[in-house]
Amino acid sequence: MLSLQEREHRKSTFAKKTSENTKKYIELYEEFSQYGYTKALAEKYADFFVLNAKKPAAGDIIQTVQLYDKIRDYKSAAYYLSKLEEMMKKLNNEEKFIYCTESLGNRSKIGNWRDAEDFRTENINFMQIYSEKVDIKLKADMYMSLAYADCAAKHYNSAFRLLTGFGYKPQGRNDEKLLEILIAGIYICAKSGDEASVENAVNNAIAAMGLFKKYEFVWSEEYYRNKIKEASEGLA
């Protein structure tokens, strides 16, 4: 979840700033800072910024999708993605890019590999061209979504190549995006059924955690340890 400062920096994609919106966002961000990703947080965010908003902003719908994705409520995430699809002509290129990565990942995690492949075929040219204009973390999100799609179609070697081949370099010692990439790798190993590769991937992720000097939130370390365990059991 974006901090208030990050949200305001990208204000063009979010709801118009008002005292009410700011107050609610601060309240929800404080809840996030204390408890992390929860169903209650996703529902409160969706209710205020999307369902009860006169004209929901694309950024708020995207953040709602991501909050539901983090708790593996892929059905709810898909519902909000459909709202973004209805707004497609009004989205700027960055919003469309995030919509594409989230949609591809959602289809893949649900297991709709045919839908994922069709979606990728339809949107891959835009995704690849625009990925050169975004920051490395958004680019990593695209490659993870592509890897999830290959994994859903049981193309495990291709999925690994996507994760390792785009040249992501650690962004300092406390790089949570690197952890996400490594955890995606664990998941792919688990789905492939190669137990030895699962063990190796888990060790790599734990080693990466060992480089951290600090975590952003009190719950972060436990959250990532749980994500590693769950990925090793085949949960995205």
Side-chain angles (χ1 to χ4, degrees):
M1 187 171 178
L2 296 176
S3 68
L4 182 63
Q5 292 74 22
E6 290 170 324
R7 177 184 173 87
E8 291 182 347
H9 180 69
R10 298 173 58 194
K11 60 184 179 181
S12 62
T13 195
F14 290 101
K16 184 177 180 180
K17 184 179 178 181
T18 66
S19 58
E20 184 182 13
N21 285 351
T22 300
K23 180 180 178 182
K24 188 64 177 180
Y25 197 86
I26 291 171
E27 174 190 321
L28 292 177
Y29 190 77
E30 287 177 349
E31 181 176 334
F32 168 72
S33 298
Q34 186 172 357
Y35 300 110
Y37 299 103
T38 66
K39 183 176 182 180
L41 175 68
E43 289 176 344
K44 289 175 187 176
Y45 193 97
D47 284 345
F48 187 88
F49 287 103
V50 182
L51 298 178
N52 294 318
K54 289 183 180 180
K55 292 184 178 180
D60 286 315
I61 301 175
I62 287 169
Q63 189 146 250
T64 299
V65 168
Q66 292 169 337
L67 290 173
Y68 277 111
D69 177 76
K70 291 292 188 181
I71 60 170
R72 296 199 189 90
D73 187 345
Y74 301 130
K75 183 177 180 180
S76 293
Y79 170 76
Y80 289 99
L81 282 167
S82 71
K83 288 186 172 294
L84 275 178
E85 187 175 11
E86 293 169 4
M87 300 167 58
M88 189 60 68
K89 292 182 179 180
K90 299 179 180 179
L91 301 184
N92 63 38
N93 281 339
E94 182 175 299
E95 291 164 349
K96 182 180 177 182
F97 179 79
I98 298 173
Y99 162 78
C100 288
T101 60
E102 294 292 339
S103 292
L104 183 57
N106 182 266
R107 287 167 166 79
S108 304
K109 292 171 186 177
I110 289 173
N112 293 339
W113 65 271
R114 288 187 184 277
D115 287 346
E117 288 196 342
D118 290 344
F119 186 89
R120 176 171 57 189
T121 299
E122 182 178 349
N123 294 283
I124 189 62
N125 286 342
F126 165 76
M127 293 171 71
Q128 288 182 327
I129 292 170
Y130 193 71
S131 71
E132 298 304 317
K133 301 178 181 180
V134 302
D135 67 42
I136 189 62
K137 292 185 178 181
L138 278 181
K139 191 171 185 177
D141 289 340
M142 181 190 78
Y143 277 96
M144 282 191 283
S145 72
L146 291 169
Y148 278 123
D150 272 348
C151 182
K154 300 183 179 180
H155 300 149
Y156 304 118
N157 289 336
S158 296
F160 283 122
R161 285 196 295 271
L162 283 165
L163 280 184
T164 60
F166 74 100
Y168 185 85
K169 295 180 180 179
Q171 309 295 298
R173 292 186 63 125
N174 308 314
D175 187 357
E176 294 188 3
K177 186 61 66 177
L178 175 61
L179 276 181
E180 291 178 24
I181 295 168
L182 294 173
I183 290 168
I186 296 170
Y187 169 78
I188 294 168
C189 290
K191 299 302 284 187
S192 74
D194 186 341
E195 294 183 6
S197 67
V198 172
E199 182 178 358
N200 184 58
V202 167
N203 289 338
N204 287 339
I206 291 174
M209 289 187 69
L211 297 175
F212 275 61
K213 288 187 175 180
K214 63 177 181 178
Y215 290 89
E216 187 171 4
F217 304 107
V218 293
W219 49 265
S220 294
E221 183 173 4
E222 182 180 2
Y223 168 78
Y224 284 113
R225 291 196 184 280
N226 286 336
K227 290 287 288 183
I228 289 170
K229 179 178 182 297
E230 291 164 350
S232 73
E233 297 169 351
L235 296 174

